[in-house]
Amino acid sequence: MCGIIGFCRWDGGEPALAPEPNCPLLGQMFRSATTMAPESHLEAHGAADAVARVMEGLHHLEYRGYDSAGIAVPHNGVLMVRKDVGHINEVDTQQNLSAMTGDIAIGHTRWATHGGVTQANAHPHTDASGRVAVVHNGILENYLVLRRELLAQGILFRSETDTEVIPHLIALELQNGHPCLEDAVRAVCAQFEGSYAFVAMHAGEQGKMVGVRLDNPLVVGYAEDGAYLASDVLAFSPHATRMAQVGDGEIAVITQEGVRFIDAEGCEVQRKTVPMDCKWADTALNGFAHYMQQEILAQPAALELCSMREHKELIDAAFAILGARQVVFTACGTSRHAALIGRYLFSKVAHKFSDVLMGSEFGYFAPALGTDTVVIAVSQSGETADVVEGVKLAKQAGARVVSVVNRPSCLLADMGDYVLRLKCGAEVGVAATKTFMCQLAVFHMLAHAMANRVDEGRVELSHAGELLYKMLHGLNYSLERLAFSLKDSGHFYYIGRGINFATAMEGALKMKEISYIHAEGMPAGELKHGTLALIEQGTPVVAVCPNDETYADTMNNVMEARARGGYIIGISDVPSDSFDYSIPIPVVSPLLYPLLSVAPLQLLAYHMSVLRGCNPDMPRNLAKSVTVR
Ligand code: F6R
């Protein structure tokens, strides 16, 4: 889940001809350096400094990890590395990254897995001679064995990371006669177990960088003045016009002459480029204090967009689901909460039973999957390792896969037989908000498609969007005041029943991840089976109890918590004296309540985070894209 990026400036400038859509990329699409006057090109387009581009890209990749960062550039026959602990701006201040320059550079922003958050463990990592540098995302599962073998050969390690074996092994392969970096990379990848994406540079091969991936994202970006390799298109979206995925197990080689791809056997592979979806990647803050605030307030418009989605894609997926003997959602975190609500929608609207399995537990049920199973993989990033792994197992068992994703190009979209996209633009805040809302919207539409009532679903969603807009603007100030009164609480409990219990779980997750207050969400009926023992005088209990089939029973649980001194915050369309604080929501059809009741919970958590001096966009220890298992 770290962010990796490399940029190589074209000396010869932009392609002689605009690339044909989907043309194969074999270097020759770029005009060679000798066929044009480089100076005139550089005057026309400005000579991009590779370090500046990599730093800019790292800022866009910080959502993937932000505990340390670093950059490597070629310098006097070796590679100069500067790295340290902290966000990219802090590392720049400490190490003066901005003073580095070059035609080619690689960089990294880290989310620690192996080894603590220290300067030595920050990337890039190099071999002993400092002539091979690597930035890496993922986990090499057999790194201890490889490390022991390298130690036995007298190689000294400077970090505790799994990554460091990579530059040492590449250097050995080059010493042992592999003629070029890509051949050495191919040879070392054959020794790895696990999943990874990394980019490497070799001081002996000026102007070249090589990237490889296995079950981790890596994309190539084509700009007028150079090419990128990065974990995500966001890293280069301001500059690139086209992009191409690096295939699983493939190697991308970027030089001054262009880009080429080879497979694990060293054979050339042809890869298609596609235009960049720049609208998707527009991540300006637009005057908001935080991305999270902007993304919460973007939800009504996102619902409206979701209501307009194409009929055919819904119907195709709906038929597959209806025809399956068993239907299983797999997802993690917030996406799993959305799936739990989707499950109720399938049951209520289309009378189709389904189950929800956590991504990290899914594999243990693999023996029960078969050709009559449909797996619905829900993931905004489309690259969560636990979900990807489960989907792989499901496909091996012959199951069909419906992928519900937000990113335009991602692993799970590639793996899906049916792909339903959220289309709500990039979500930058680490805490998922608008993608959760759109996942609910997709399930609402899908459930209605399964019941042959798509148009009804559309009208309902659009109506919910209008109500949400009014509600959010009316509630913002009062929720900030509520947050102020509760900001020193040590614990929060969230309860709800039926379709509302996952809303309670999501409210609790939002609270704990961005404000660092302990918060637990649960089905309201479970409270009395243990957790009630923790309710004391003044303990905040958030009850999601709209006026639906769950109302009366949830209110009983509210009374039980209140009798033990709980401070009850009720989210409902029915006012009640049993609430110490009331968050009013509009009256809607019962299946739409989650859409309306989750938004105040997101806003409450947001204000709580800001009032407690936390950064809601970058909570400690977390990252937006979780590509490790
Ligand atoms: C919480 C949050 C996480 C993600 C989880 C799955 O706000 O964002 O719990 O929901 O890591 O991520 P995706 O949806 O990318 O698979």
Side-chain angles (χ1 to χ4, degrees), residues 332-335 379-381 384 430-432 509-510 513 626:
C332 301
T334 290
S335 294
S379 168
Q380 66 79 25
S381 64
T384 297
V430 163
L509 180 59
K510 287 288 94 79
E513 71 177 324
V626 186

Side-chain angles (χ1 to χ4, degrees), residues 258-480:
V259 183
R260 57 193 188 90
F261 297 88
I262 52 177
D263 65 18
E265 275 71 49
C267 303
E268 298 274 351
V269 177
Q270 303 204 342
R271 276 265 148 208
K272 291 178 175 177
T273 66
V274 291
M276 288 281 298
D277 183 348
C278 293
K279 209 164 147 235
W280 184 87
D282 175 8
T283 56
L285 256 176
N286 297 325
F288 287 93
H290 297 100
Y291 284 108
M292 185 178 179
Q293 185 187 29
Q294 183 193 47
E295 286 157 5
I296 292 172
L297 296 177
Q299 294 179 118
L303 278 188
E304 185 70 41
L305 259 183
C306 257
S307 72
M308 293 189 262
R309 67 178 40 252
E310 262 181 54
H311 204 90
K312 181 168 176 343
E313 62 176 23
L314 288 168
I315 296 293
D316 289 349
F319 267 119
I321 294 167
L322 285 172
R325 184 180 62 84
Q326 55 181 1
V327 178
V328 190
F329 290 85
T330 180
C332 301
T334 290
S335 294
R336 188 177 73 91
H337 297 156
L340 287 167
I341 293 170
R343 176 186 183 196
Y344 278 93
L345 290 169
F346 281 16
S347 164
K348 296 270 180 211
V349 181
H351 304 162
K352 182 75 183 176
F353 180 80
S354 56
D355 209 342
V356 179
L357 292 175
M358 264 176 216
S360 53
E361 294 293 312
F362 186 90
Y364 306 114
F365 293 87
L369 306 174
T371 51
D372 50 3
T373 309
V374 163
V375 171
I376 305 178
V378 191
S379 168
Q380 66 79 25
S381 64
E383 59 182 45
T384 297
D386 288 326
V387 180
V388 170
E389 187 58 27
V391 167
K392 265 190 183 171
L393 293 173
K395 286 180 84 81
Q396 278 161 18
R400 270 165 309 149
V401 175
V402 178
S403 295
V404 180
V405 293
N406 191 37
R407 297 198 157 255
S409 55
C410 57
L411 299 177
L412 284 170
D414 292 348
M415 295 167 95
D417 299 292
Y418 308 88
V419 182
L420 298 174
R421 295 179 196 277
L422 305 181
K423 297 183 185 166
C424 59
E427 186 176 65
V428 180
V430 163
T433 52
K434 67 174 178 177
T435 53
F436 176 76
M437 188 68 75
C438 289
Q439 286 164 345
L440 299 191
V442 165
F443 297 143
H444 192 85
M445 294 297 292
L446 191 53
H448 281 81
M450 285 156 65
N452 203 12
R453 287 159 46 198
V454 178
D455 290 337
E456 189 186 319
R458 272 189 219 288
V459 173
E460 284 183 349
L461 264 193
S462 167
H463 180 55
E466 285 163 27
L467 294 173
L468 185 63
Y469 179 83
K470 287 190 198 134
M471 189 189 81
L472 276 174
H473 286 82
L475 277 179
N476 194 24
Y477 181 59
S478 55
L479 288 173
E480 190 176 0

Side-chain angles (χ1 to χ4, degrees), residues 37-306:
E39 300 78 15
S40 62
H41 166 77
L42 296 180
E43 252 169 51
H45 297 282
D49 183 83
V51 175
R53 288 294 182 84
V54 163
M55 281 189 59
E56 183 186 349
L58 286 177
H59 279 291
H60 292 295
L61 290 177
E62 272 200 310
Y63 74 86
R64 303 180 71 88
Y66 33 82
D67 57 39
S68 43
I71 289 182
V73 288
H75 183 72
N76 289 344
V78 287
L79 298 169
M80 181 205 283
V81 174
R82 292 191 184 169
K83 58 185 186 176
D84 216 327
V85 168
H87 289 225
I88 181 77
N89 281 342
E90 293 162 344
V91 177
D92 188 19
T93 309
Q94 290 144 12
Q95 297 293 333
N96 206 3
L97 299 178
S98 317
M100 300 165 92
T101 57
D103 294 339
I104 187 163
I106 59 174
H108 190 266
T109 178
R110 181 171 188 240
W111 185 86
T113 55
H114 291 64
V117 180
T118 63
Q119 187 184 30
N121 289 336
H123 300 217
H125 290 281
T126 61
D127 71 314
S129 70
R131 288 173 59 76
V132 175
V134 166
V135 288
H136 164 230
N137 171 33
I139 292 182
L140 301 179
E141 283 165 10
N142 60 336
Y143 85 101
L144 278 176
V145 176
L146 297 169
R147 191 178 165 112
R148 258 183 245 123
E149 286 168 9
L150 288 165
L151 284 168
Q153 294 178 53
I155 288 171
L156 295 179
F157 279 77
R158 284 161 293 190
S159 77
E160 305 153 300
T161 63
D162 53 340
T163 305
E164 199 185 332
V165 300
I166 308 175
H168 291 305
L169 286 169
I170 292 175
L172 280 179
E173 294 296 344
L174 288 167
Q175 273 168 31
N176 292 342
H178 280 287
C180 58
L181 181 59
E182 54 271 34
D183 271 14
V185 165
R186 238 170 19 87
V188 302
C189 286
Q191 303 171 46
F192 292 154
E193 287 165 21
S195 63
Y196 51 82
F198 67 84
V199 178
M201 270 197 310
H202 175 216
E205 294 171 74
Q206 285 278 327
K208 181 193 276 186
M209 63 182 179
V210 168
V212 60
R213 79 167 189 94
L214 189 70
D215 292 337
N216 262 268
L218 189 66
V219 280
V220 178
Y222 300 84
E224 279 193 344
D225 52 0
Y228 290 85
L229 269 168
S231 305
D232 184 354
V233 295
L234 283 180
F236 48 68
S237 61
H239 302 286
T241 50
R242 301 187 73 82
M243 55 148 297
Q245 289 282 356
V246 180
D248 221 18
E250 279 173 18
I251 295 173
V253 184
I254 298 189
T255 63
Q256 304 273 314
E257 275 72 52
V259 183
R260 57 193 188 90
F261 297 88
I262 52 177
D263 65 18
E265 275 71 49
C267 303
E268 298 274 351
V269 177
Q270 303 204 342
R271 276 265 148 208
K272 291 178 175 177
T273 66
V274 291
M276 288 281 298
D277 183 348
C278 293
K279 209 164 147 235
W280 184 87
D282 175 8
T283 56
L285 256 176
N286 297 325
F288 287 93
H290 297 100
Y291 284 108
M292 185 178 179
Q293 185 187 29
Q294 183 193 47
E295 286 157 5
I296 292 172
L297 296 177
Q299 294 179 118
L303 278 188
E304 185 70 41
L305 259 183
C306 257

